[in-house]
Amino acid sequence: MSQQPAPSIAGPSDRIWTIPNVISFIRLLGVPLFLYLLLGPHHDVAAVIVLAIGGTTDWVDGFVARRMNSVSRLGELLDPFADRLYILATLIGFTVRGVVPYWLTGALLLRELVLGVALLVLRRHGYGPPPVHYVGKTGTFVLLAGFPVILLARAVPSIDGWAGPLGWGLAWWALGLYWAAGVLYLLQTAQLLRAPRVAT
């Protein structure tokens, strides 16, 4: 009785027009719309809706990619890029409007700067970026959930009593997770850079 070969697990494809990638592209289109609503006519409630959709669909593209077995190299780049673009756009818009203090913006941007330097060091030694850690992914999700609540509390004063503390609680939680993930990425970077020396 002959044995059938086990099915091979395909790696990321080179396809561009996949459903998950289209979702990511649509998420990216929401960034300029959000900034326009926030900084132009000051339609804060509409800006909250756009930001909430962009944040809550963060997991959709990845879920669809895994469910439909349509993981692509472009998608692996688009998903974290869209996350960072939403966070950066929100920080810029919120800081300009005075929704969040400068220290929060500085703390989040400093983390990105530190990781950016680590990525440059890894690339110089021939390594790619370390795999995305669930702590960082959770921190991004919580941050993208907290930002709309903070803006909604500002836009609708009648709910500020509960929405404000909720939004800022999420923001503090996300900040802790964000930096915890940053420390993990730095530890991974250090391990990769030490590995050749240990082997020799």
Side-chain angles (χ1 to χ4, degrees):
M1 184 174 175
S2 60
Q3 293 182 346
Q4 294 182 351
S8 59
I9 300 176
S13 70
D14 293 323
R15 296 172 60 195
I16 296 177
W17 296 112
T18 64
I19 293 178
N21 289 352
V22 170
I23 295 173
S24 295
F25 281 127
I26 294 174
R27 288 185 65 212
L28 288 173
L29 291 176
V31 173
L33 177 60
F34 162 74
L35 286 176
Y36 166 74
L37 294 171
L38 183 69
L39 301 179
H42 289 195
H43 292 326
D44 290 350
V45 175
V48 166
I49 294 172
V50 174
L51 185 59
I53 293 173
T56 54
T57 55
D58 171 37
W59 62 274
V60 173
D61 46 7
F63 174 80
V64 172
R66 291 186 295 270
R67 189 80 180 209
M68 300 182 62
N69 195 23
S70 57
V71 177
S72 66
R73 291 180 176 85
L74 179 61
E76 290 179 336
L77 295 175
L78 275 179
D79 185 34
F81 177 72
D83 292 342
R84 281 174 168 77
L85 195 59
Y86 263 99
I87 291 173
L88 180 60
T90 306
L91 283 175
I92 292 173
F94 278 19
T95 305
V96 171
R97 285 282 308 276
V99 178
V100 298
Y102 286 103
W103 64 261
L104 178 62
T105 303
L108 292 171
L109 293 181
L110 179 61
R111 185 263 195 185
E112 292 298 318
L113 178 61
V114 169
L115 290 192
V117 172
L119 289 176
L120 289 176
V121 172
L122 283 175
R123 191 161 296 176
R124 186 174 181 181
H125 287 80
Y127 294 104
V132 177
H133 199 278
Y134 75 93
V135 175
K137 197 68 177 172
T138 303
T140 299
F141 180 79
V142 174
L143 193 63
L144 291 175
F147 278 158
V149 178
I150 292 173
L151 183 58
L152 187 63
R154 181 186 176 97
V156 186
S158 61
I159 65 170
D160 181 56
W162 63 266
L166 175 62
W168 281 105
L170 291 171
W172 274 104
W173 182 24
L175 182 62
L177 290 173
Y178 222 53
W179 270 101
V183 171
L184 291 174
Y185 290 139
L186 290 178
L187 291 175
Q188 288 178 335
T189 299
Q191 288 175 353
L192 286 173
L193 295 179
R194 282 200 303 261
R197 299 179 184 176
V198 173
T200 54

